[in-house]
Amino acid sequence: MTFVLYDLAGRDNAVRFSPYCWRTRMALWHKDEAFVSHPVPFHKIGRIDQGQFMRVPVLEHYGVYRDESTDLAHYLEEIAPDKPSLFDGAGGEMLTRFVESFAANVMLGAIAQMIVLDIHDMLDPADQLYFRESREKRFGRTLEAVQAGREERVVSFRASLQPLRYLLKRQAFLGGNKPLYADYILFGMLQWARVCSAFALLEDDDPISDWFERCLDLFDGAARKMPLAR
Amino acid sequence: MTFVLYDLAGRDNAVRFSPYCWRTRMALWHKDEAFVSHPVPFHKIGRIDQGQFMRVPVLEHYGVYRDESTDLAHYLEEIAPDKPSLFDGAGGEMLTRFVESFAANVMLGAIAQMIVLDIHDMLDPADQLYFRESREKRFGRTLEAVQAGREERVVSFRASLQPLRYLLKRQAFLGGNKPLYADYILFGMLQWARVCSAFALLEDDDPISDWFERCLDLFDGAARKMPLAR
């Protein structure tokens, strides 16, 4: 049964940029599950199913709608245990949470503050006012002021990724010689920036860049084939 | 067959402080393996077995000596698969490496620079000159200068542990409702400081402190019963 992924989209419907939707998209590809995706701008999230969802991704399967990327990963693991695992066991599921916490606490805010104006500029016009108001309230400054100075801040952001860099000098993926869901969590953060913004978060010779390219190459380059907002 | 753990010791032989030895000690307790431990000051590491080891922990089992705490954890997992697992599967083994990289890159250097003089002061006198010379060369300053200002630096150290804190607000251990080897890796870093130094790395109301206390309570409080250098 084909899945339906409700996927955050920009003004160009083909541009999919949510870091959380990217996790679910990579997990669906990892499990080799057929899916169609529906583009959803922010202002239409409330129209999914009966309107009970505040966020995407939402995944519909056999008429049941589910949200929360973490729960979706566990759902995919549960219904397709014969497919390549996203966690490789209970310990993998647990320690994926530490990777998620690293993404949430080291990457999310820092990246947001380097691309927030670029995100605004690629949104559906009907989303832009909501986005500007909600994000300017969150940061207490204009989007322009938040994003300003990113050339300096990116240096400390790169330094903060040292635990990932050190690991990826020694192995191809967080999962070792193959990717796990933990890889997709961190990939999603960087793919969010790559899709929305031309600003380079990483240097080309960074081992993290090499790993990111390997992730883009997975599933016959499926993630690489998705359009960028430019 | 009883294991023999060669364990870094201070001037007081009963004081065991190496963060890596603590990993192995906790892993042996986790596996409920009987072991005796031999105190080893730095200058006697070269006398273990045939003198081929540069570092502790070294673990002897059936006449074979092994080193490297990571390898020892895998050895214990392999020979005692019926005992509680240290990794809970292949994914757990892999993602433990990310936790190890977090310890190596976020915690090790920062903690060392807050306790290095305290470590010096609790060492066997025959170790002190070696320790001072090697660490002053590494840091390019006197031990006194390295440790100075720790009251300011501890603030950013605490902030750097946010990925751990965020997780431990939501669950008891990195392993969920029970500890895994990943817990012992991070525990060992903080236990190193607790044994060597009276300087408080964490605030009492930090969720990380609560988790640390839970680790001290494991195995009938075995880690808590070990003496501190004071």
Side-chain angles (χ1 to χ4, degrees):
Chain A
M1 184 75 179
T2 295
F3 290 84
V4 180
L5 172 65
Y6 291 85
D7 195 8
L8 198 62
R11 181 171 54 243
D12 176 349
N13 257 343
V15 172
R16 310 299 171 85
F17 64 98
S18 156
Y20 305 100
C21 293
W22 269 103
R23 296 178 186 183
T24 302
R25 181 176 280 278
M26 297 294 276
L28 284 162
W29 280 330
H30 183 101
K31 288 289 189 183
D32 200 22
E33 294 286 0
F35 67 99
V36 295
S37 75
H38 286 335
V40 187
F42 281 112
H43 70 279
K44 289 186 178 166
I45 291 175
R47 297 191 199 168
I48 300 170
D49 192 28
Q50 308 297 318
Q52 74 271 40
F53 297 110
M54 304 281 287
R55 279 183 292 267
V56 282
V58 169
L59 194 64
E60 184 268 319
H61 193 215
Y62 287 105
V64 179
Y65 293 74
R66 296 175 177 84
D67 67 346
E68 294 294 336
S69 54
T70 300
D71 295 343
L72 297 178
H74 289 116
Y75 177 71
L76 291 173
E77 185 79 352
E78 192 182 302
I79 62 161
D82 51 321
K83 303 276 187 75
S85 176
L86 291 165
F87 301 107
D88 265 0
E93 285 195 35
M94 278 301 155
L95 297 184
T96 295
R97 296 187 188 181
F98 183 70
V99 177
E100 209 292 320
S101 187
F102 185 83
N105 290 285
V106 175
M107 300 177 79
L108 179 65
I111 294 175
Q113 292 179 60
M114 291 187 283
I115 64 170
V116 70
L117 183 62
D118 295 338
I119 296 172
H120 170 272
D121 291 347
M122 51 74 76
L123 291 178
D124 186 303
D127 279 347
Q128 288 185 324
L129 185 62
Y130 149 77
F131 186 82
R132 180 176 283 277
E133 285 188 345
S134 61
R135 270 50 175 184
E136 292 191 346
K137 187 174 173 192
R138 182 181 304 169
F139 291 117
R141 287 172 296 162
T142 64
L143 300 187
E144 288 75 6
V146 172
Q147 189 166 296
R150 62 183 176 181
E151 295 77 9
E152 286 74 52
R153 279 181 282 117
V154 75
V155 177
S156 59
F157 171 72
R158 289 171 184 159
S160 76
L161 301 185
Q162 185 57 24
L164 181 60
R165 182 174 298 113
Y166 177 89
L167 186 71
L168 293 172
K169 281 181 189 171
R170 288 156 183 79
Q171 59 191 59
F173 296 99
L174 278 82
N177 57 9
K178 64 177 186 189
L180 291 174
Y181 189 69
D183 287 276
Y184 305 144
I185 289 172
L186 301 188
F187 169 79
M189 305 305 297
L190 298 174
Q191 177 73 337
W192 171 42
R194 174 178 173 268
V195 169
C196 294
S197 174
F199 183 67
L201 292 188
L202 301 173
E203 294 180 296
D204 288 343
D205 63 353
D206 191 326
I208 301 173
S209 296
D210 297 337
W211 160 83
F212 187 68
E213 294 295 321
R214 282 193 291 278
C215 291
L216 288 172
D217 287 338
L218 292 169
F219 324 120
D220 295 320
R224 197 189 293 282
K225 289 171 194 162
M226 298 279 291
L228 309 179
R230 292 291 184 277
Chain B
M1 183 78 179
T2 297
F3 289 83
V4 180
L5 172 65
Y6 292 85
D7 195 8
L8 199 63
R11 183 170 55 243
D12 176 350
N13 257 343
V15 172
R16 310 302 171 81
F17 65 99
S18 156
Y20 305 101
C21 292
W22 269 103
R23 296 178 188 183
T24 302
R25 181 176 279 279
M26 297 295 277
L28 284 161
W29 281 329
H30 183 101
K31 288 289 190 182
D32 199 22
E33 294 286 358
F35 68 98
V36 294
S37 76
H38 287 335
V40 187
F42 280 112
H43 70 279
K44 288 185 178 167
I45 292 175
R47 297 189 198 170
I48 299 169
D49 191 27
Q50 309 296 316
Q52 74 271 39
F53 297 111
M54 305 281 286
R55 279 182 291 266
V56 283
V58 169
L59 195 64
E60 184 267 319
H61 193 215
Y62 288 104
V64 180
Y65 293 75
R66 295 174 177 84
D67 68 346
E68 294 293 339
S69 54
T70 300
D71 295 343
L72 297 178
H74 289 118
Y75 178 72
L76 291 173
E77 186 78 352
E78 191 182 304
I79 64 163
D82 49 323
K83 303 277 188 75
S85 175
L86 290 165
F87 302 106
D88 265 0
E93 285 195 36
M94 279 301 153
L95 296 184
T96 294
R97 296 186 188 182
F98 183 71
V99 177
E100 210 291 322
S101 187
F102 184 83
N105 290 286
V106 175
M107 299 177 80
L108 179 66
I111 295 175
Q113 292 179 62
M114 291 189 281
I115 65 170
V116 70
L117 184 61
D118 295 338
I119 297 172
H120 170 273
D121 292 347
M122 52 73 76
L123 291 178
D124 186 304
D127 279 349
Q128 289 185 325
L129 185 62
Y130 149 77
F131 186 82
R132 181 176 283 278
E133 284 188 347
S134 62
R135 270 49 175 186
E136 292 189 346
K137 187 175 173 191
R138 182 181 303 170
F139 291 117
R141 288 171 296 161
T142 64
L143 300 186
E144 288 75 6
V146 172
Q147 189 166 295
R150 63 183 175 180
E151 295 77 8
E152 285 74 52
R153 278 180 283 118
V154 75
V155 177
S156 59
F157 171 72
R158 288 171 185 159
S160 76
L161 301 184
Q162 186 58 24
L164 181 59
R165 181 174 300 113
Y166 178 89
L167 186 71
L168 294 173
K169 280 181 191 172
R170 289 158 182 76
Q171 60 191 60
F173 295 98
L174 278 82
N177 57 10
K178 64 178 185 190
L180 289 174
Y181 188 69
D183 287 275
Y184 306 144
I185 289 172
L186 301 188
F187 170 80
M189 304 305 298
L190 298 175
Q191 176 74 336
W192 170 43
R194 174 177 173 269
V195 169
C196 293
S197 174
F199 183 68
L201 291 188
L202 301 173
E203 294 181 294
D204 287 344
D205 62 354
D206 190 328
I208 302 174
S209 296
D210 297 336
W211 160 83
F212 187 68
E213 295 294 321
R214 283 193 290 278
C215 291
L216 289 172
D217 287 338
L218 293 169
F219 325 120
D220 295 322
R224 197 189 293 282
K225 288 171 193 161
M226 298 279 291
L228 309 178
R230 293 291 184 275

